[in-house]
Amino acid sequence: MERIYLDHSATSPVHPKVIDTMINVLNQSFGNPSSIHSYGREARALLDEARTIIAGSIGAHFNEIVFTSGGTEADNFAILGIAEAMKEKGKHIITSNIEHHAVLHTCEYLEKHGYDVTYLDVNENGQVSVEDVKAALREDTILVTIMYGNNEVGTIQPIHEIGLLLKDHQAYFHTDAVQAYGVVKLNVHELNVDLLSVSSHKINGPKGIGFLYIKAGTRIVNRFYGGEQELKRRAGTENISSIVGFAEAVKIAQEQMEEKQKRYQDFKMKFLNILTAQHVDFHINGFTDHHSLPHVLNLSFPGTDVEAMLVNLDIAGIAASSGSACTAGSIEPSHVLVAMFGKESERLRNSIRFSFGLNNTSQEIEKAANEVAKIVQRLNKANRK
């Protein structure tokens, strides 16, 4: 049976060129980049080149990129590091109700330690209002953390506008750009952000590596202690093979970005057009235009159940996902959909996320959409009996 992977927002396959690059490094460059001999210098050169490539991808300087173990660590470093560094200036933080749990759970941790966190609501498209950010700002606000593009519904937030709002305020501005990086153009100066988090495995790079952009001059307390690696920001010997693999994935993503945007948008419209032609009852969660990440499509199918949908999709060879965590036979509703539609909405129980990426073809999208149509109609028919 042909399998179709439409869950690239969860993780993505490693690009063959990235695999080749990493194998080459593993075979030939095992030195510690902190060592002064030739083996160490070879590793240091690879590390410096990767940092240069990645810094350039977001318009940052070489010394503003700190490699981490991924997006979760980058988010934690940004939030906890700023909170500790700025606690004498205030203990108020602003975020949104639709952030990734790497942000939300970190903010909840800080609340237990004396910090005051404002969680902003979003509209039915999953977007934060700049006016709400402005209204929430206080003299003691030290950090605003709003994601660039939502991982469940794809909605892009007004990051540039929020950055402008904060220009003359003491609060630092952090954005979790894990879902957006490599898919849409990001420039830290145009966005007016002080910190930005990224993860490699979302862009066809290896798992276990990411970075945090920290604008020069930003006050932040380190989370790891030991040696002076990563510009004295993160102790621990660098994972050179993964960092070099990450940089290769970044180069590929930058070269193919415009083409991917168009292809993914075409996939999105093909999927929707087929469902419409098959007379499938569905609702779009979020946007489908330039306000949404091109590779993310979240749909609600009235009269269906998310667990039944996912099981039937898997049987049909289609990998998709939901924002719900299924544990011990119970479903914890997606916090993103709750924020968008309320706790009583039917969409919490019937929404599926499809996300596109490497190796997906137009033929796969057509087949997947037709299979989805069959499954929805079959489940609706069974429910009416």
Side-chain angles (χ1 to χ4, degrees):
M1 179 179 65
E2 178 189 7
R3 294 194 301 169
I4 301 174
Y5 187 73
L6 298 181
D7 200 17
H8 294 263
S9 288
T11 195
S12 64
V14 181
H15 195 286
K17 288 184 179 179
V18 173
I19 294 172
D20 291 343
T21 299
M22 293 179 68
I23 290 174
N24 187 52
V25 173
L26 287 167
N27 280 328
Q28 299 183 18
S29 305
F30 62 85
N32 187 322
S34 296
S35 300
I36 62 172
H37 49 60
S38 61
Y39 295 92
R41 293 197 304 274
E42 287 173 8
R44 171 60 61 181
L46 291 171
L47 177 62
D48 288 350
E49 181 184 8
R51 199 187 309 275
T52 299
I53 290 168
I54 287 171
S57 72
I58 58 170
H61 297 297
F62 175 90
N63 61 0
E64 294 177 319
I65 301 297
V66 176
F67 289 111
T68 67
S69 64
T72 293
E73 185 194 328
D75 285 341
N76 274 251
F77 187 4
I79 296 167
L80 296 175
I82 294 295
E84 178 67 21
M86 293 289 287
K87 62 184 179 183
E88 301 303 323
K89 298 281 188 179
K91 289 192 171 185
H92 180 234
I93 295 169
I94 297 172
T95 189
S96 82
N97 282 319
I98 63 163
E99 299 298 309
H100 190 278
H101 283 125
V103 169
L104 290 177
H105 289 169
T106 307
C107 288
E108 290 166 7
Y109 166 84
L110 287 172
E111 283 184 293
K112 296 174 183 176
H113 290 78
Y115 288 79
D116 183 16
V117 181
T118 297
Y119 297 91
L120 299 177
D121 291 328
V122 295
N123 61 23
E124 283 205 348
N125 288 312
Q127 198 166 55
V128 170
S129 161
V130 179
E131 289 303 312
D132 285 351
V133 177
K134 184 176 181 180
L137 270 178
R138 307 186 326 210
E139 286 188 8
D140 63 335
T141 304
I142 56 172
L143 175 68
V144 177
T145 174
I146 304 290
M147 67 188 347
Y148 187 96
N150 185 261
N151 52 299
E152 289 191 30
V153 298
T155 299
I156 294 174
Q157 304 301 329
I159 299 301
H160 170 73
E161 292 80 1
I162 296 172
L164 288 176
L165 175 67
L166 297 173
K167 262 198 163 182
D168 297 320
H169 195 282
Q170 72 166 1
Y172 286 112
F173 187 23
H174 166 249
T175 187
D176 176 338
V178 167
Q179 281 297 331
Y181 182 72
V183 181
V184 297
K185 181 184 176 184
L186 300 174
N187 182 290
V188 291
H189 301 292
E190 293 174 2
L191 293 175
N192 299 298
V193 296
D194 302 297
L195 305 111
L196 181 145
S197 302
V198 166
S199 185
S200 162
H201 76 103
K202 306 292 188 180
I203 64 161
N204 311 118
K207 294 177 177 64
I209 193 73
F211 73 79
L212 177 65
Y213 158 76
I214 306 174
K215 184 179 179 180
T218 297
R219 293 178 58 186
I220 190 167
V221 173
N222 296 346
R223 307 308 302 162
F224 287 11
Y225 298 92
E228 297 188 348
Q229 292 88 355
E230 285 311 288
L231 313 169
K232 300 182 179 181
R233 290 294 198 189
R234 183 187 187 271
T237 301
E238 293 91 347
N239 181 353
I240 298 300
S241 60
S242 289
I243 288 171
V244 173
F246 185 10
E248 183 66 24
V250 169
K251 286 195 293 184
I252 295 167
Q254 295 293 307
E255 291 167 0
Q256 300 178 354
M257 187 177 294
E258 289 187 12
E259 185 271 330
K260 284 196 302 185
Q261 288 175 355
K262 183 181 185 306
R263 185 166 78 250
Y264 297 160
Q265 192 64 32
D266 287 346
F267 286 172
K268 190 179 289 189
M269 300 325 307
K270 177 184 281 287
F271 205 107
L272 296 174
N273 288 339
I274 289 173
L275 294 182
T276 300
Q278 297 282 357
H279 306 291
V280 175
D281 185 14
F282 69 90
H283 302 294
I284 299 167
N285 297 327
F287 297 103
T288 58
D289 59 10
H290 65 280
H291 294 295
S292 176
L293 297 174
H295 66 301
V296 179
L297 178 63
N298 193 303
L299 300 176
S300 161
F301 298 101
T304 68
D305 171 79
V306 64
E307 286 182 294
M309 276 290 295
L310 290 176
V311 169
N312 277 271
L313 285 169
D314 190 43
I315 292 171
I318 299 167
S321 68
S322 77
S324 303
C326 303
T327 307
S330 64
I331 295 181
E332 180 185 339
S334 157
H335 69 284
V336 175
L337 297 181
V338 168
M340 291 168 64
F341 304 115
K343 293 180 180 179
E344 304 304 318
S345 174
E346 182 186 334
R347 298 197 193 196
L348 274 58
R349 296 177 290 278
N350 61 29
S351 293
I352 303 291
R353 180 188 68 187
F354 305 93
S355 48
F356 316 120
L358 181 68
N359 298 327
N360 283 149
T361 64
S362 183
Q363 290 76 17
E364 283 187 331
I365 303 306
E366 182 175 346
K367 180 177 179 180
N370 280 307
E371 286 292 337
V372 168
K374 291 177 188 175
I375 292 168
V376 171
Q377 289 163 351
R378 185 168 68 245
L379 292 177
N380 280 332
K381 184 177 181 180
N383 290 334
R384 285 194 294 267
K385 288 182 178 179

